[in-house]
Amino acid sequence: MSYKLFDSHAHYYDPRFAEESAGAEVLLAEIFAGDVDRIVNVGTSLENAPICVEMAKKYEGMYAAVGIHPSDCADYERDALDKFSDFLECHRDFRAEKIVAIGEIGFDYYWEPYDKEKQRFFFEGQMALAEKYGLPVIVHDRDAHGDCFETVLKFPNVRGVFHSYSGSAEMARELIKRGWYISFSGVATFKNAARVREVVASIPLHRLLIETDCPYLAPHPMRGKLNHSGYLHYTAEAISAVFGKTTEELAEITHKNAEELFGL
């Protein structure tokens, strides 16, 4: 294949890989031998942050993001933010540790019950840590577009990406004006996702990323299966068609964008 893809958001520590496949290591060996040469393995908790870092060290093309997901923060007391800060301080040689972002962080108002103020505490606290350490952030926004946007406005020195974007074209434009990136997952391939593709079409190519969010959100025609980075080309093909680009052109553009965001 004449192009290489950058999967900007994956979760290879997820137990589903062991339960539903031969395991993440087997999959990754096949994936890196194919059309994907870069993956950001994105953490969601204090427990999987060190796993992400150790996995990244095993693969030349893998990098780690670490953070406390809005849904995971329900399992913690507020002092967990101090523990996360300590983790960053202990790993602050970020280049050597292959830590490229704080994430995923944000708001999730889909899964009930949820504690909006607790989510806000962890989101704002991690945004402050990103500002302190000069790291970009990966934002999770589910049914919380207004609150996510208002929070990032409080931290004008922090940049990052809204992953698996589901917001409006108008909000995306405002984020992009402020230096943010927008990432799309396999949802953009779904037959009932015409609105998502309309938003895709509004994104300037220099601010566009692609991702799998695996093991979730497998693209059409693999929808319902265990997702992995080997399926990223389906999303690349769908999005390239929106812009009238070849898949090779789209791969090159999004690869460069991810490298710039994550400082690679």
Side-chain angles (χ1 to χ4, degrees):
M1 202 162 285
S2 60
Y3 59 83
K4 291 294 182 181
L5 295 164
F6 195 131
D7 187 352
S8 65
H9 196 109
H11 304 282
Y12 277 103
Y13 51 83
D14 193 287
R16 283 187 62 188
F17 288 109
E19 295 164 359
E20 300 176 39
S21 75
E25 290 193 8
V26 173
L27 276 174
L28 286 165
E30 297 172 354
I31 288 162
F32 281 126
D35 60 7
V36 174
D37 69 343
R38 296 287 185 272
I39 298 170
V40 178
N41 199 25
V42 182
T44 58
S45 70
L46 293 176
E47 289 73 27
N48 59 43
I51 298 172
C52 285
V53 172
E54 290 308 308
M55 287 189 75
K57 291 177 181 178
K58 292 181 180 179
Y59 303 95
E60 181 181 355
M62 180 175 277
Y63 301 88
V66 293
I68 300 175
H69 188 284
S71 295
D72 287 70
C73 77
D75 298 330
Y76 299 121
E77 299 300 326
R78 294 195 175 201
D79 65 354
L81 185 61
D82 295 325
K83 295 175 182 176
F84 180 62
S85 178
D86 291 343
F87 177 86
L88 290 175
E89 188 63 27
C90 290
H91 296 78
R92 68 177 303 164
D93 187 353
F94 299 125
R95 185 169 294 275
E97 299 287 340
K98 299 182 75 177
I99 296 173
V100 296
I102 291 179
E104 63 186 282
I105 63 178
F107 288 115
D108 191 312
Y109 297 163
Y110 180 80
W111 296 109
E112 296 184 347
Y114 58 84
D115 185 333
K116 183 182 293 191
E117 289 312 309
K118 194 174 189 183
Q119 289 190 19
R120 188 184 308 279
F121 171 82
F122 279 95
F123 189 8
E124 292 186 357
Q126 291 176 99
M127 288 287 286
L129 289 169
E131 183 171 33
K132 174 182 175 180
Y133 289 109
L135 287 169
V137 297
I138 298 170
V139 172
H140 172 100
D141 169 13
R142 191 166 190 187
D143 294 349
H145 308 316
D147 284 352
C148 279
F149 184 67
E150 288 178 9
T151 300
V152 301
L153 290 183
K154 295 178 182 179
F155 297 87
N157 295 322
V158 178
R159 298 292 181 270
V161 57
F162 271 58
H163 100 91
S164 194
Y165 188 72
S166 60
S168 67
E170 292 75 17
M171 185 171 119
R173 281 195 292 270
E174 292 302 318
L175 288 165
I176 289 163
K177 283 180 188 177
R178 292 162 173 81
W180 284 72
Y181 291 78
I182 307 295
S183 181
F184 293 93
S185 65
V187 173
T189 71
F190 295 173
K191 292 180 179 180
N192 61 351
R195 177 187 168 277
V196 173
R197 288 186 289 276
E198 289 175 3
V199 176
V200 169
S202 74
I203 306 299
L205 283 168
H206 72 287
R207 290 294 169 180
L208 179 69
L209 300 183
I210 56 175
E211 62 173 271
T212 57
D213 198 16
C214 65
Y216 315 105
L217 301 179
H220 176 79
M222 301 300 176
R223 193 170 181 182
K225 296 185 178 182
L226 178 77
N227 196 14
H228 58 77
S229 302
Y231 294 159
L232 185 59
H233 66 93
Y234 291 111
T235 301
E237 289 162 7
I239 291 178
S240 65
V242 170
F243 290 102
K245 299 284 186 182
T246 66
T247 304
E248 183 176 3
E249 289 171 329
L250 193 281
E252 181 178 355
I253 290 166
T254 54
H255 202 292
K256 181 174 181 250
N257 292 345
E259 289 176 338
E260 289 177 350
L261 171 61
F262 297 121
L264 303 177

